Each structure stands twice: as C-alpha cells, then as structure tokens.
Amino acid sequence: MKNREQIKPRIIFIDIHCNDFFVRHYGRIIGKNHVKSFKHQFLLDYFHKNGYEVCNYITRYGTRNTGRFRIFAKSRIGRYLESIFVEKVNHLPHFKVLTNKQKITPNDIVIGYLVFDYQIDVLKKLVCYKVLFGNHFISVNNPLSLEKLGINAFVNEIDLSNNEFVRAYFNLNGVDNLIVPYTYQDRFVVNKDFSERENKVMAIGTSSTCSIVPNRYKLYRAFFKTELIQPMRQLIFEKQDELSDIIDCYIGSILENHGRQTKYTSFDMVETFNGYKMFVCPEELVGMPGIGFIEGMACGCAYIGLDHDMYKGLGLIPGYHYITYNGTLEDLRRVVQYYMQCPNETQKIAEQGCEYVRENFNMSNVAEKFRNQLISSYKSYAHHL
C-alpha cells in the first residue's frame, strides 16, 4: 500500500467559480464584461491534466450573483448551479464539488486567495495543508500572522520573504514561500524584425490608486504615505507631452470610465509591442513588477526596469536580459537616449530577454515548477502527519 507521501493529494480550490484569477465569474458574464483577468486558469488545467483530483469547495460565500436571482444563490443548490454555469461558459471541465468542510481531510491541499477576505477565515477552520495566494497583498487593512492561521505556503509572483512591507505586516515564520511568476499568453509573439521597429519607448500599464477602494489599503497608506500604487506610471501619464520625443504613452488610468480602462484595452498590445524597440511598465511602489514586463519581453521588445531583487529573484540579469534605470524621470530620459543611439546593443538585450522569458515564463513551465515546489512543501508537511 502506498504511503501518504506517494499518493497524489487532492487539490481543492475555494470557490473556483467566483475567483477572477480562474474564470469570468457570473457577475462578469451577465454584465458582459469580457476582460480576461483569469491569470491562474492554467494551473487548474495543469493539475487536472496531470492526474490530480481538482475540487471546488463551494462555501456559503460562493456566489457572484448580485442581480434579481440573488435570493436563489443563497441556497447550496443555487451556488452549485452557478458553478456549473460558470464552468461551461469558461470551457472548464466539471470539477468535483465539496460543500462540507467535514469532507476535507488532513491529506488534502486547500488553496485560497488573500484578496478575498473570507477565504482566510475558511482556511483557518480547516485541518489540512493550507496554501494562500497573496496577490494584491497590499490591499489588507490589518497585520496578518500566517503562522497563527496555520498557513503552510504563501504564494506570490516573486519571492516576498525580504520585502519590507511584507516583513512589517505579515508573520511568515514557518511558512514556505512559493512562486508563480507572471506568464505570457500564446498570442504574445515576435512578429516584426527589430530593425523595422520604431526607435522609441512604449510606456504601458494601468495607473492604479487606493482611492477607488476607500475601505481597504489602510496599511499601504500608512507605510507609503500615498494613494498611488504605481507612482511612476502616473508621472509618465501626466508628463507624456513633455516626453513625446522619446516615449509614446499607452498608460491608462484605473479611474477612466468607471474602471473599464477603455484606453488601455482599445489597442492591440501584441502588435504595439512589436512596433517598438523598447518599453517600460513601471513597477508598484511596494516592489512588485507588472505583468506587462513579461508580455512585452515575449514580443522581443527591450524592457526598461529597476535594478531590483524583484527581477533578480526570477533569474533576470540587469544589463543582460533588460535595461535598468534608477526610477526617476531624469534617469529614464538619460537611459532611453543612450539606447536610442545604440540599436545593436538594444537589440542584443531584447533578444536575450525574449529568449529567457519564453523559456521560463510560459504556462507549462511555470505550472510544472509550481507543482514541484508545492508537492515538495506538502511532503514535508505530510511526513509529520
């Protein structure tokens, strides 16, 4: 008989059908919002296709129905039918449904997301191997002790174990740090020769602010004394006319058109990346990169970013895989003007960065590496059961 460490554990996600990282949920479907925000759907596909039993733990909070049928979603059958509907619209397989925490065993892996407050409480009450994805961790209002919550693994796009904000407000003692880097979709390809591209910089990203969610981000405001999440994006957005000789600004504001970001979604990003030799996607003040840096590099565009551990921890070498500057507008101008005069050097960095990103940040590679990290951590946990 196989022992615990040899048997594949069940992978249980909390309310898959309500999570923007996995699906276009009911609210988006009914509201005809076609923004594809499901950055982690590939993880569901990977585990399902590699022989793991993937389950959807539907809790009493498991609905995104705010319309006239809201009353129906208050029942278990209503939430279950909502999950079936969402699976079909998102072309997902039907995952086994759990609705009772008593059905979850110490051998299971249960995965929740920090951005949904209630999922922390759900995880706290379970006896199993617990995983918390920390995406948008800056939105929290109170310090969190993941150690006291019994969290086994904390997952983010980069290793945050040395991040100043995280060290100040999160207790990660005894918690494994796992990484799921950003990935690029298949449509992000090189389709234009470097020599044919415009010798300027494309500025990309959404300029976000805490002000759109006044009841969150209390710790972030206290720590950084600002409402802006990516101050450099906002600065480029405001100074775009002055920078027009070196930068074409495609940055959009989260406040635009009630958050629909029509400017940001109104152009073909793949074709636009392929139209420029260089691009910048300014980072979050907390020390997090934007997904745009992966997408642009995958299109063979030379990335300009900070000389920072957020990139080094992913294996990127400053000056080799990407161009660096010190985070000021003055230095950005200096760097851009230099590389505009050195097209061969710029092309070499673009090609080296593109090769590295396409090899390491495709969905298959990222999913496999995450599985290996997760199961390694789980085995250490299972060994003590």
Side-chain angles (χ1 to χ4, degrees):
M1 183 176 178
K2 292 184 177 179
N3 63 39
R4 234 185 229 112
E5 295 182 26
Q6 293 175 313
I7 298 172
K8 286 184 176 180
R10 289 193 300 181
I11 312 291
I12 303 170
F13 295 88
I14 300 172
D15 293 327
I16 290 174
H17 60 293
C18 298
N19 192 327
D20 310 75
F21 284 91
F22 297 133
V23 295
R24 278 179 65 224
H25 58 67
Y26 183 87
R28 291 196 176 204
I29 295 167
I30 298 302
K32 297 183 179 179
N33 182 331
H34 295 282
V35 175
K36 296 179 179 180
S37 60
F38 39 87
K39 300 173 184 176
H40 293 161
Q41 190 179 104
F42 72 97
L43 295 177
L44 296 178
D45 295 336
Y46 180 86
F47 284 114
H48 178 69
K49 291 175 181 177
N50 283 273
Y52 288 87
E53 183 179 5
V54 177
C55 302
N56 184 13
Y57 177 32
I58 300 180
T59 72
R60 64 189 181 95
Y61 306 99
T63 180
R64 298 300 287 265
N65 185 344
T66 58
R68 57 179 177 166
F69 298 114
R70 170 72 177 176
I71 188 70
F72 184 57
K74 290 185 176 181
S75 68
R76 285 188 180 183
I77 186 63
R79 295 191 293 271
Y80 173 75
L81 291 175
E82 180 178 328
S83 73
I84 297 294
F85 172 71
V86 171
E87 284 177 346
K88 288 186 178 299
V89 172
N90 285 271
H91 307 292
L92 292 176
H94 175 57
F95 299 120
K96 179 179 179 180
V97 168
L98 304 176
T99 59
N100 189 333
K101 71 177 182 180
Q102 305 303 327
K103 299 293 185 180
I104 295 173
T105 76
N107 296 319
D108 293 325
I109 293 175
V110 178
I111 298 176
Y113 277 68
L114 176 63
V115 70
F116 302 108
D117 290 339
Y118 78 90
Q119 295 198 4
I120 297 173
D121 294 328
V122 171
L123 286 171
K124 184 179 180 180
K125 297 173 183 176
L126 299 177
V127 178
C128 58
Y129 177 91
K130 307 175 191 180
V131 180
L132 184 65
F133 273 71
N135 306 80
H136 304 309
F137 63 89
I138 61 172
S139 66
V140 298
N141 285 337
N142 300 296
L144 281 174
S145 173
L146 300 193
E147 180 186 32
K148 288 184 179 179
L149 290 170
I151 302 299
N152 301 96
F154 190 46
V155 186
N156 289 279
E157 293 93 345
I158 61 173
D159 184 350
L160 291 173
S161 56
N162 291 316
N163 182 279
E164 290 184 357
F165 182 86
V166 171
R167 289 173 68 89
Y169 297 120
F170 293 78
N171 179 357
L172 299 179
N173 290 333
V175 179
D176 288 341
N177 280 277
L178 310 186
I179 301 175
V180 175
Y182 294 123
T183 61
Y184 60 88
Q185 296 176 11
D186 291 342
R187 65 191 178 98
F188 289 93
V189 296
V190 179
N191 62 24
K192 193 170 186 178
D193 190 88
F194 198 80
S195 63
E196 298 175 357
R197 302 181 182 208
E198 189 165 0
N199 193 26
K200 289 179 73 176
V201 171
M202 169 192 180
I204 191 68
T206 298
S207 178
S208 306
T209 170
C210 304
S211 63
I212 63 170
V213 191
N215 62 336
R216 296 182 71 94
Y217 296 95
K218 290 181 181 178
L219 297 180
Y220 179 86
R221 290 187 178 94
F223 195 85
F224 291 108
K225 314 298 182 187
T226 182
E227 294 284 317
L228 296 174
I229 295 174
Q230 307 96 351
M232 191 61 177
R233 292 186 193 178
Q234 185 62 26
L235 186 58
I236 292 174
F237 180 78
E238 293 173 355
K239 302 284 187 181
Q240 57 184 290
D241 290 341
E242 298 174 30
L243 298 167
S244 61
D245 59 321
I246 60 169
I247 295 175
D248 286 341
C249 182
Y250 293 86
I251 292 172
S253 171
I254 194 70
L255 299 174
E256 179 197 8
N257 199 15
H258 303 290
R260 288 188 179 272
Q261 307 168 54
T262 52
K263 176 182 176 181
Y264 186 70
T265 57
S266 64
F267 60 94
D268 187 321
M269 289 182 66
V270 178
E271 290 305 312
T272 309
F273 277 132
N274 274 274
Y276 290 87
K277 292 186 176 180
M278 294 173 280
F279 78 105
V280 62
C281 180
E283 302 86 352
E284 292 184 14
L285 185 58
V286 75
M288 287 289 295
I291 189 172
F293 98 90
I294 290 289
E295 295 170 339
M297 290 177 74
C299 292
C301 198
Y303 179 56
I304 303 173
L306 300 176
D307 185 348
H308 193 281
D309 285 344
M310 71 178 94
Y311 299 117
K312 296 174 187 175
L314 295 174
L316 294 164
I317 302 171
Y320 184 85
H321 293 123
Y322 73 106
I323 298 165
T324 63
Y325 78 117
N326 69 8
T328 66
L329 215 53
E330 294 75 20
D331 198 48
L332 180 60
R333 175 173 284 279
R334 178 190 67 80
V335 166
V336 171
Q337 288 176 333
Y338 170 82
Y339 281 96
M340 286 173 71
Q341 298 300 315
C342 303
N344 292 336
E345 188 174 348
T346 307
Q347 181 173 357
K348 186 175 182 180
I349 291 174
E351 290 174 348
Q352 289 166 170
C354 181
E355 181 181 3
Y356 185 82
V357 162
R358 297 196 70 83
E359 180 180 344
N360 290 280
F361 303 124
N362 61 76
M363 293 181 184
S364 176
N365 189 298
V366 169
E368 184 175 356
K369 287 183 177 179
F370 174 61
R371 188 272 306 271
N372 292 342
Q373 295 173 70
L374 178 66
I375 297 305
S376 176
S377 176
Y378 172 80
K379 284 182 177 179
S380 296
Y381 153 87
H383 182 71
H384 294 94
L385 287 179

